[in-house]
C-alpha cells in the first residue's frame, strides 16, 4: 500500500494504467528501477551527472514546469516517465523505464500516450529526447510515434542519438 504522502497525488488513469506524480520519497525506488534497466542494457548509471535529477524530483520536474510520473503494481514502482522543461515550448522526454517483468504488455505505448498528452497540457509544442543504441525497443517506439532523429549541440554521456517530435 502506498504511504499517505504518496497516495492521491494527481493520479492519472491512462487506459487502465495508473500514473501518479512522483515525490522525493520515491527517489530511492526510482533510482533502483532506472539503474537496474540501464545495467540490463549495458549502460552505466551516472548518479553524479546524468541521473542527478533523481535526487530532487519535485524541484527538478514539478517546480520547473515539468512532470515526473510513476506506475505502481502492488505498491512497487514498475515504470517511470518524465517531462523536463527545456524552454517555454520545448520539453525533453526523460527517464522512461519499465521493469522487465512489465514489458510486452503495451505499457510503453501507454506511457508514451500519457507523456505526449501531458506535454501538450503543460503547453509544450515540441518534445525532444536522448537515447542510446542498445535501447532498440525504445527507439522503435519513438519512431512509431513519429519522432525523427536530430543532432543537438550536446548529448548526455551515455547517449548517442537524439529525436524530436512537433506536437
Amino acid at each position: 500500500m502506498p504511504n499517505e504522502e504518496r497516495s492521491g497525488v494527481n493520479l492519472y488513469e491512462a487506459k487502465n494504467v495508473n500514473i501518479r506524480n512522483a515525490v522525493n520519497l520515491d527517489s530511492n525506488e526510482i533510482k533502483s528501477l532506472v539503474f537496474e534497466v540501464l545495467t540490463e542494457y549495458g549502460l552505466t548509471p551516472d548518479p553524479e551527472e546524468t541521473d542527478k535529477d533523481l535526487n530532487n524530483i519535485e524541484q527538478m520536474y514539478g517546480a520547473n514546469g515539468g512532470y515526473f510520473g510513476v506506475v505502481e503494481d502492488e505498491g512497487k514502482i514498475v515504470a517511470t516517465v518524465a517531462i523536463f522543461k527545456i524552454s517555454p515550448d520545448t520539453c525533453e522526454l526523460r527517464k522512461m523505464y519499465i521493469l522487465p517483468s512489465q514489458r510486452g504488455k503495451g505499457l510503453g505505448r501507454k506511457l508514451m500516450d500519457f507523456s505526449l498528452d501531458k506535454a501538450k497540457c503543460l503547453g509544450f509544442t515540441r518534445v525532444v529526447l536522448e537515447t542510446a543504441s542498445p535501447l532498440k525497443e525504445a527507439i522503435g517506439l519513438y519512431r512509431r510515434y513519429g519522432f525523427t532523429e536530430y543532432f543537438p549541440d550536446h548529448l548526455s554521456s551515455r547517449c548517442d542519438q537524439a529525436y524530436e517530435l512537433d506536437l
Side-chain angles (χ1 to χ4, degrees):
M1 197 78 178
N3 80 38
E4 54 189 57
E5 285 95 56
R6 296 181 189 182
S7 63
V9 182
N10 278 356
L11 203 58
Y12 174 91
E13 190 170 329
K15 300 176 186 166
N16 301 323
V17 173
N18 289 327
I19 302 170
R20 69 161 173 85
N21 282 353
V23 295
N24 286 340
L25 287 172
D26 297 318
S27 182
N28 288 337
E29 193 174 355
I30 290 169
K31 286 179 194 176
S32 178
L33 183 152
V34 169
F35 296 171
E36 176 184 335
V37 174
L38 288 171
T39 302
E40 171 192 356
Y41 283 91
L43 301 168
T44 304
D46 185 9
E48 300 303 316
E49 292 296 324
T50 305
D51 302 311
K52 189 177 183 178
D53 57 334
L54 299 177
N55 293 328
N56 192 342
I57 292 165
E58 294 172 29
Q59 182 65 38
M60 292 297 297
Y61 291 92
N64 188 38
Y67 178 83
F68 199 114
V70 296
V71 175
E72 291 180 312
D73 183 29
E74 297 182 8
K76 179 182 178 191
I77 295 174
V78 298
T80 62
V81 66
I83 298 167
F84 184 80
K85 180 180 180 178
I86 293 180
S87 73
D89 65 336
T90 301
C91 66
E92 182 178 6
L93 179 63
R94 288 187 176 178
K95 308 297 190 218
M96 190 166 134
Y97 293 104
I98 302 170
L99 285 177
S101 64
Q102 301 297 312
R103 295 184 199 143
K105 303 175 182 180
L107 185 53
R109 287 188 312 275
K110 292 172 184 176
L111 288 173
M112 184 61 77
D113 289 340
F114 169 80
S115 63
L116 296 178
D117 287 346
K118 188 70 169 177
K120 288 176 191 173
C121 288
L122 292 171
F124 299 111
T125 58
R126 180 175 175 248
V127 179
V128 298
L129 63 88
E130 297 179 4
T131 191
S133 297
L135 301 170
K136 294 182 186 330
E137 299 92 340
I139 293 167
L141 179 68
Y142 305 145
R143 288 183 174 157
R144 283 191 299 279
Y145 272 79
F147 281 85
T148 57
E149 194 166 6
Y150 86 109
F151 303 94
D153 294 334
H154 175 274
L155 283 171
S156 66
S157 60
R158 70 170 166 250
C159 295
D160 59 7
Q161 298 177 38
Y163 290 84
E164 65 184 344
L165 177 72
D166 289 326
L167 297 174

